[in-house]
Amino acid sequence: MIHRRILVSSCLAGIPCRYNGKAKTNPEILEAVERNEAIALCAEELGNLPTPRPPAEIVGGDGQAVLDGLAAVIDINGEDVSNQFIDGAQKVVAVIQREGITEAILQDRSPSCGCGRIYDGTHSGKLVEGDGVLAALLKRRGVTVSGSSAL
């Protein structure tokens, strides 16, 4: 049971916003949003990426490296969508700062929300250590971030 107001990935709250147009609903998170104990946001949609959208992965590092301009978020068609990922992450941070939220539960492995492990940038399903762009920016702002597998 969640006892504080937190940020959650929208897809975990049942909102069909993932790259494939689907949700990855977690019943506990959905209930927390319904009780106004959690706020659901999708950085990729806030960055004006469409749903559905081509899958994207971080190439050359992780979210920290993307924020530092040392890596890029590239979709499966070869398009650099780093700016959209960064813009969306910044919009999420603006909302949670306004709301006083200091904790987040994010979707595992995502190039935006991944916490601790993300896909390696080859679209082969291989995982590497690192955070997605949103997770990295939240950590830089002092937010406690955990992946959905921690539930």
Side-chain angles (χ1 to χ4, degrees), residues 10 26 36 54 59 63 67 70 79 83 92-93 105 107-108 146:
S10 290
N26 177 293
N36 199 33
V59 175
L67 293 171
L70 303 172
E79 182 179 347
N83 289 336
V92 169
V93 167
I105 298 174
Q107 172 57 39
D108 291 321
S146 59

Side-chain angles (χ1 to χ4, degrees), residues 8-119:
V8 297
S9 297
S10 290
C11 60
L12 297 174
I15 298 168
C17 60
R18 296 182 73 217
Y19 75 94
N20 60 4
K22 297 180 180 180
K24 193 143 184 153
T25 309
N26 177 293
E28 182 181 356
I29 287 181
L30 177 59
E31 291 172 12
V33 170
E34 290 172 348
R35 290 189 307 266
N36 199 33
E37 295 172 359
I39 183 169
L41 296 170
C42 175
E44 293 174 34
E45 285 192 336
L46 288 172
N48 293 318
L49 290 168
T51 300
R53 59 190 162 273
E57 295 185 7
I58 298 174
V59 175
D62 69 353
Q64 298 287 351
V66 172
L67 293 171
D68 293 337
L70 303 172
V73 185
I74 307 294
D75 74 20
I76 200 161
N77 299 319
E79 182 179 347
D80 185 338
V81 290
S82 302
N83 289 336
Q84 292 94 324
F85 273 71
I86 293 168
D87 183 52
Q90 290 170 336
K91 288 177 180 174
V92 169
V93 167
V95 171
I96 69 163
Q97 286 178 331
R98 184 177 67 238
E99 298 290 324
I101 294 171
T102 60
E103 295 181 53
I105 298 174
L106 304 178
Q107 172 57 39
D108 291 321
R109 300 177 304 277
S110 159
S112 184
C113 296
C115 179
R117 290 174 50 107
I118 57 172
Y119 290 108

Side-chain angles (χ1 to χ4, degrees), residues 120-137:
D120 72 349
T122 64
H123 295 276
S124 65
K126 183 179 177 193
L127 294 171
V128 295
E129 288 186 21
D131 294 324
V133 176
L134 174 61
L137 187 58

